Amino acid sequence: MTTVLFATCRAVPSFTPSDALAAAALSARGLTVRSAIWDSTEPRDLDAGTVVVMRSVWDYHLHADRFRGWITGLEHRRFRVFNSPALSRWNMDKGYLRDLRRGKIETLPTSFVPKGERTTLAHELGALGAIEAVVKPAISASAHDTWRTSLAAVADDEARFTALLARGAVLVQEYTHTIESEGEWSLVFLAGRFSHAVRKRPKAGDFRVQREHGGTATLERAPAAVIAAASRVLDALDEVPLFARVDGIEIGGRFTLMELECLDPELFFELVPHAAESFAAALVAAI
């Protein structure tokens, strides 16, 4: 009997409500499903034939080098891993947005600043031609160390920017108020096929749409043009992910990519339970 291990983290050691539905659907198909905290699970200790699925590994950004080593260890021992180690490593660093932009995917104007670069926040805003921007680490999750700045506030924010840049590469991304008025689309794809869409909105006065920051998520019907644009993002990849979430906003009627989540996205199965069945079917087929 195949064992499927959902990799988690210390803050969320067991199944999320969404993943519990997926685990139940897999169990109904005869698979043994369990959860395990990724950095308490050595690849050498796993049973041969275990299938590892990246789920709530939501602290990887705090231990990036160790996490890379862990997934490489899984790869070297030839475990089946979803999504693949190569895709996961690429998706860890938001520099992937630069790769997608080169592939003609529309993204927000962004400056990618290497770790330790001798620059200023004022210079980066000027280079973008932006009045307002969002600053974030290139490796981050759940809006960790992500904050908003502007030309009016840049003098006060320079020290914070310098400190962030000393720790790692940084993205400075033009800010759009669309996120406050319209929210952000999250389009979920399973085995390359569109499954469902969620509209995420920040709480009043904020721009972060994550639930831990007061954001909300509701199941909504996405326009055909938005689904088509999100599909083109996946078409730009070298492989078809078992699961992926394409996050973006509509600006002037055009879909603009914010993030592509192929490592550990929340898939919102609790809002559309039948999608958990589709996930299970896709994983069984992949195995």
Side-chain angles (χ1 to χ4, degrees):
M1 181 178 291
T2 300
T3 296
V4 176
L5 185 149
F6 278 22
T8 64
C9 66
R10 295 180 187 280
V12 189
S14 189
F15 302 120
T16 66
S18 178
D19 288 341
L21 293 171
L26 288 166
S27 296
R29 286 167 167 78
L31 281 71
T32 298
V33 189
R34 65 184 183 91
S35 63
I37 298 168
W38 72 267
D39 58 352
S40 295
T41 307
E42 293 294 335
R44 65 175 178 269
D45 296 330
L46 294 176
D47 293 335
T50 297
V51 175
V52 180
V53 182
M54 300 296 172
R55 292 311 310 129
S56 54
V57 290
W58 294 338
D59 62 355
Y60 74 85
H61 59 291
L62 303 176
H63 317 280
D65 289 341
R66 185 175 179 186
F67 184 74
R68 283 195 193 94
W70 182 72
I71 58 177
T72 298
L74 294 172
E75 186 177 32
H76 286 169
R77 290 182 175 269
R78 301 186 181 279
F79 287 106
R80 297 293 302 277
V81 184
F82 298 95
N83 286 314
S84 76
L87 182 56
S88 295
R89 281 190 292 265
W90 175 77
N91 199 223
M92 279 178 63
D93 189 313
K94 297 183 195 305
Y96 70 78
L97 289 169
R98 180 169 43 197
D99 298 334
L100 292 173
R101 191 175 183 88
R102 291 184 186 126
K104 308 303 181 184
I105 300 299
E106 190 164 346
T107 66
L108 287 176
T110 303
S111 177
F112 300 89
V113 189
K115 178 182 178 180
E117 182 84 353
R118 297 184 66 179
T119 186
T120 65
L121 185 55
H123 173 79
E124 298 303 328
L125 262 66
L128 284 175
I131 297 174
E132 296 180 84
V134 171
V135 180
K136 63 181 73 171
I139 300 178
S140 65
S142 303
H144 178 75
D145 269 346
T146 297
W147 40 280
R148 196 170 151 189
T149 190
S150 66
L151 289 177
V154 71
D156 294 331
D157 290 341
E158 284 290 0
R160 187 178 184 183
F161 175 70
T162 299
L164 192 62
L165 196 54
R167 298 196 295 271
V170 173
L171 272 63
V172 181
Q173 197 168 54
E174 185 175 36
Y175 182 74
T176 171
H177 288 268
T178 302
I179 197 72
E180 298 173 61
S181 58
E182 303 297 329
E184 174 181 300
W185 283 110
S186 280
L187 297 103
V188 175
F189 289 78
L190 302 174
R193 297 181 178 180
F194 172 70
S195 173
H196 55 279
V198 168
R199 178 94 75 165
K200 298 183 296 186
R201 291 181 172 85
K203 70 179 182 181
D206 207 333
F207 68 96
R208 297 168 298 181
V209 296
Q210 293 83 1
R211 288 168 171 169
E212 55 265 44
H213 298 296
T216 60
T218 56
L219 188 68
E220 294 190 21
R221 185 183 295 275
V226 168
I227 297 172
S231 297
R232 286 194 291 273
V233 175
L234 292 192
D235 290 342
L237 302 182
D238 293 333
E239 62 185 86
V240 178
L242 173 69
F243 53 85
R245 201 185 74 213
V246 182
D247 294 346
I249 55 178
E250 292 179 87
I251 301 177
R254 294 173 63 87
F255 182 81
T256 298
L257 179 69
M258 299 286 283
E259 293 195 0
L260 169 63
E261 299 281 359
C262 296
L263 174 54
D264 58 350
E266 169 60 71
L267 298 171
F268 302 106
F269 291 153
E270 73 278 17
L271 298 180
V272 52
H274 69 80
E277 297 289 338
S278 300
F279 172 88
L283 179 56
V284 169
I287 293 171

